Amino acid sequence: MENNNLKLTASEIGTLWGEYVNGTMTEIVNRYMISIIEDEEIKQVFEIAIKTGEKQKKQLVSFIEKDGFPVPIGFTESDLNRSAERLFSDTFCLNYLHIMTIHGLLGHTTALSVSVRKDLREFYHSCVDDAKSMYDLTIELLLKKGVFQRDPYFYPTESPELIIAKDFTDGFFGKGRVLSSTEIISISLNIKKGIMAKALSIGFSQVTESKDIRRFFEELEKTADGNLQALSKILHKDNLPVPMSWESEITTSKDSPFSDKLMLYHMGFLAQTAQVYYGTGLAGAMRTDLALAYEKAILKTLGVTRKWFGIMVKNKWLEQPPLAPNRKELAQDK
């Protein structure tokens, strides 16, 4: 049997389904942002991102339809208000594209790791290459504009060192050691992602017309801020710099550029991926205060995600992914 003619596995259709829904969401946001961006260099990068998304979308549809699965609804032009006033600055748009590219790179790599069919593997290889190119473009432009926030610098030691102190894992009461470079990886990335989530929740809370959804965005903002404060406190404790916030890059517009469905889904997506990144940070944390901060962040974010699920279901906005066959129901139908 030709490798490309193998039926899709549950993991393969799951990744295709998720890539399509998340990709259409990002496409709508990018289309709005390119319509308000004034900086030509930033606009050119968004043009590349939109063309790349369109190319991938066509391929995703082809894979899904080939095996007889329905193409998800995802997000369409009906979720976009092109005449809306500017809600984000050019700098915010570029930072947004950079962070979402990181999400995309992780998503494509995960999809590749569970794909067996050759055509799928080739597709995700190309997606990874596209994401790597976009990652380079956004970083280079952020550096050129002077708005890229670099991680803390460490100074080299004379030689490799071994852990000899029993209190290496103790970070409480000032007794423990300073942060390691391996711990900084997750702290820095989680803070940067949290800053974007907080800023988006502020912007979305300004423009939504639903009181219930506004309350959710406000709760999400408080949760994101609490998690940011906890991680920032740990950096401050070791006299390390904390990335600046993006709240000032959100305008005072009350005119929504997106449907409530898209905004709510977007924040749920960020909350769910945050739990993954917090979990990764927890796995690599060797200081007890850092591990505790991640555990609290995961629990708080999980609570918010549950509320998000309830609101999405209540409004009939949450699409159901393909499910395994229910053998009991099939047997009863005879």
Side-chain angles (χ1 to χ4, degrees), residues 135-152:
Y135 181 79
D136 287 338
L137 284 173
T138 54
I139 282 188
E140 290 297 330
L141 194 50
L142 286 166
L143 287 169
K144 182 178 180 180
K145 302 294 182 183
V147 292
F148 184 76
Q149 301 189 64
R150 305 194 65 157
D151 298 338

Side-chain angles (χ1 to χ4, degrees), residues 181-193:
S181 56
T182 53
E183 290 167 332
I184 290 290
I185 299 170
S186 290
I187 293 176
S188 179
L189 187 55
N190 276 305
I191 287 179
K192 289 177 181 178
K193 286 167 51 3

